[in-house]
Amino acid sequence: MPQIIFLPHEELCPEGMVVDANSGETVIEAALRNGIEIEHACEMSCACTTCHVIIREGFASMEESDELEDDMLDKAWGLEPDSRLSCQAVVADTDLTVEIPKYTINQVSERQ
């Protein structure tokens, strides 16, 4: 069973966390199941960038992003070459190290 190492994030997991993941589930599914409340304004439908993460290790083990995800990622804050939307990043059989960016762009929150 692969593991996901979530690097420390000031608000979501200050100490960082290592969680067991199931092959075939998304990074956000594993995070939410373990109490890491990654924002997902579009309910994980690949229609926003609030669940943007950076895969620091294990990126090559995942299937490549599709055009829709790439288009959404272009709008993400702090985009890096190993960025993914956690709702689209499917865990394979390899451990991952994931960084949750400090900021996210949430159009709904910005209007309030």
Side-chain angles (χ1 to χ4, degrees), residues 1-2 12 29 38 57-58 65 76 82 98 102 111:
M1 175 177 280
L12 301 179
E29 289 169 337
I38 295 176
E57 293 181 21
S65 56
D82 294 337
V98 174
K102 184 174 182 178
R111 290 186 202 144

Side-chain angles (χ1 to χ4, degrees), residues 46-85:
C46 195
C48 73
T49 63
T50 58
C51 72
H52 168 230
V53 296
I54 303 160
I55 309 298
R56 295 293 181 199
E57 293 181 21
F59 183 85
S61 70
M62 296 184 300
E63 291 186 20
E64 290 187 26
S65 56
D66 63 19
E67 188 175 340
L68 177 60
E69 182 181 357
D70 290 341
D71 288 346
M72 293 309 304
L73 279 169
D74 285 341
K75 302 170 187 174
W77 180 89
L79 184 66
E80 294 193 17
D82 294 337
S83 288
R84 292 295 303 265
L85 296 180

Side-chain angles (χ1 to χ4, degrees), residues 7-21:
L7 298 176
H9 181 278
E10 187 175 310
E11 296 174 13
L12 301 179
C13 56
E15 304 297 318
M17 188 181 291
V18 178
V19 304
D20 289 328

Side-chain angles (χ1 to χ4, degrees), residues 83-95:
S83 288
R84 292 295 303 265
L85 296 180
S86 61
C87 70
Q88 301 299 303
V90 177
V91 178
D93 293 326
T94 303
D95 293 349

